[in-house]
């Protein structure tokens, strides 16, 4: 175990909010952080808090080159702890098991087989159901035609590619022939493997919730819960406004799942909660840093720092530093709110898009920081460049959905 003063951290996917929040949480305690990405522009790249910056090949377009570049950056900067910012963690875990990362480099994540399990929405939903965690009713089918036969046109369903993030690879449909057409279109649009068709579930009403945790070799160190108040696009996905809250039953289900997996590292479990019935349903696991993590920092739970302590000084020290979150803290993603309004205008809801006040006052912003003002500029330039290139508010890169 390395001395904390000697441990430098490297973050990947430096453009995004999750990585920036990790950078901020670590820099708050004097930790040196190297940020890396495919691009020169982004949140971490623009931050005054970064110790150094590096670039790597796209993990989607060139996974081999990505691993080689990350390993080289770690050696060059003397990295002791590698913290993936997004889904590239699975590639890095595979590289660790293949001996392709520098010896002694800490990558606090579970093994590749467990990571592949939780990243598969179908397998994870079925496992949750087996363990007594409530999930939306799953439709068993092999082909789109069979899905049409076993579903009802009067009911609403959600179809999700087994891999995807931020509402990418998600479609909503009535049952019957409409669902058959939706599934057929998904197979073509996302170039899905026929042997891995989307998971189809009955659509559940309610609010989105998240239970975020840090586990160490199967033992829980920290937990934090939030409720979503607004989302970036109408189809769901990333929240733009959220509040710290508590939900003991949901938290118990999240903890049971992670303990059963002998989880190691960070994870955020998504749920739906229906206020009308009081019931909740498991949706999926994000086995990594999550987009809304800035709220946990604002509410008093600094997950990146706790993970750093667990790695450098031991889990007992990290557990001693954990304090339950303050409830009722509200965080807003400023640029995400702009994107949300553009999406509303595109859908013809101009009044809602132009309404300046939404009745909720934010205590903090994910991307607007008075002590680090260029971060918002870096984020804006990244989204502008990507939006112009892809003509999308929620751009899909090859390999993200499968």
């Amino acid at each position: 175990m390395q001395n904390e003063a000697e441990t430098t951290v490297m973050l990947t996917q430096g453009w995004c909010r999750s990585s920036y929040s990790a950078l901020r949480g670590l820099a708050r305690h004097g930790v040196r952080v190297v940020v890396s990405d495919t691009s020169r522009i982004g949140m971490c790249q623009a931050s005054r808090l970064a110790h150094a910056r590096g670039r790597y090949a796209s993990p989607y377009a060139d996974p081999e080159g990505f691993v080689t570049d990350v390993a080289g950056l770690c050696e060059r900067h003397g990295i002791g702890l590698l913290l993936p910012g997004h889904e590239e963690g699975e590639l890095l875990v595979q590289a660790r098991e293949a001996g392709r990362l520098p010896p002694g480099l800490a990558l606090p994540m579970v093994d590749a087989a467990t990571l592949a399990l939780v990243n598969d929405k179908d397998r994870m939903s079925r496992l949750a159901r087996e363990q007594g965690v409530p999930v939306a009713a799953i439709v068993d089918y092999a082909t789109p035609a069979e899905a049409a036969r076993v579903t009802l046109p009067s009911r609403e369903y959600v179809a999700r590619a087994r891999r995807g993030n931020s509402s990418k690879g998600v479609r909503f449909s009535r049952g019957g022939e409409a669902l058959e057409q939706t599934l057929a279109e998904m197979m073509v649009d996302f170039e899905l493997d026929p042997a891995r068709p989307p998971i189809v579930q009955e659509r559940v009403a309610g609010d989105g919730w998240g239970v975020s945790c840090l586990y160490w070799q199967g033992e829980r160190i920290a937990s934090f819960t939030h409720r979503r108040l607004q989302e970036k696009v109408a189809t769901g996905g990333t929240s733009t406004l959220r509040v710290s809250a508590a939900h003991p039953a949901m938290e118990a289900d999240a903890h049971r799942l992670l303990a059963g997996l002998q989880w190691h590292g960070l994870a955020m479990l998504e749920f739906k909660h229906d206020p009308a019935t009081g019931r909740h349903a498991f949706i999926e696991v994000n086995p990594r840093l999550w987009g809304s993590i800035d709220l946990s920092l604002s509410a008093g739970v600094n997950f990146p720092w706790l993970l750093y302590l667990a790695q450098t000084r031991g889990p007992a020290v990290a557990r001693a530093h954990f304090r339950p979150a303050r409830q009722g803290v509200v965080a807003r993603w400023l640029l995400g709110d702009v994107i949300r309004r553009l999406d509303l205008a595109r859908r013809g809801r101009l009044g809602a898009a132009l309404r300046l006040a939404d009745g909720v006052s934010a205590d903090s912003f994910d991307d607007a920081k008075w002590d680090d003002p260029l971060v918002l500029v870096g984020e804006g330039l990244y989204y502008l460049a990507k939006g112009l290139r892809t003509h999308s508010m929620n751009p899909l890169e090859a390999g993200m959905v499968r």
Side-chain angles (χ1 to χ4, degrees), residues 64-217:
E64 290 296 311
F66 164 74
V67 170
T68 299
D69 289 347
V70 168
L73 286 170
C74 288
E75 290 181 338
R76 189 177 315 141
H77 293 283
I79 302 300
L81 192 159
L82 178 60
L83 185 53
H86 217 259
E87 293 183 324
E88 69 281 1
E90 191 166 352
L91 277 175
L92 293 171
V93 166
Q94 292 168 359
R96 177 185 66 191
E97 294 181 3
R100 296 187 59 195
L101 297 182
L105 175 66
L107 177 60
M109 299 183 74
V110 291
D111 59 276
T114 303
L115 203 51
L117 166 64
V118 300
N119 274 328
D120 187 319
K121 294 177 174 62
D122 184 78
R123 293 175 63 198
M124 192 62 217
S125 294
R126 294 176 188 275
L127 176 63
R129 185 175 63 181
E130 290 171 7
Q131 296 192 4
V133 175
V135 301
I138 301 172
V139 176
D140 292 313
Y141 75 101
T143 65
E146 185 178 355
R149 290 195 298 271
V150 298
T151 56
L152 299 174
S154 59
R155 292 189 179 178
E156 290 188 343
Y157 298 85
V158 56
R160 297 180 294 153
R162 295 192 180 199
R163 292 289 299 268
N165 67 79
S166 184
S167 79
K168 299 178 179 73
V170 178
R171 300 278 172 88
F172 300 96
S173 174
R174 293 280 183 176
E177 292 182 359
L179 179 59
E180 178 180 7
Q181 182 177 345
T182 295
L183 291 170
E185 290 172 353
M186 289 180 70
M187 301 300 291
V188 173
D189 292 348
F190 302 125
E191 300 180 352
L192 300 179
D193 182 349
R196 288 170 50 85
I199 177 175
V200 175
Q201 293 171 280
E202 290 192 17
R203 190 171 183 179
V204 294
D207 305 322
W209 286 66
V211 180
S212 309
C213 299
L214 170 62
Y215 271 69
W216 211 257
Q217 305 297 347

Side-chain angles (χ1 to χ4, degrees), residues 2 6-10 74 78-82 104-107 311:
Q2 293 174 296
E6 299 174 351
T7 303
T8 301
V9 176
M10 189 169 85
C74 288
I79 302 300
L81 192 159
L82 178 60
L105 175 66
L107 177 60
Q311 181 63 51

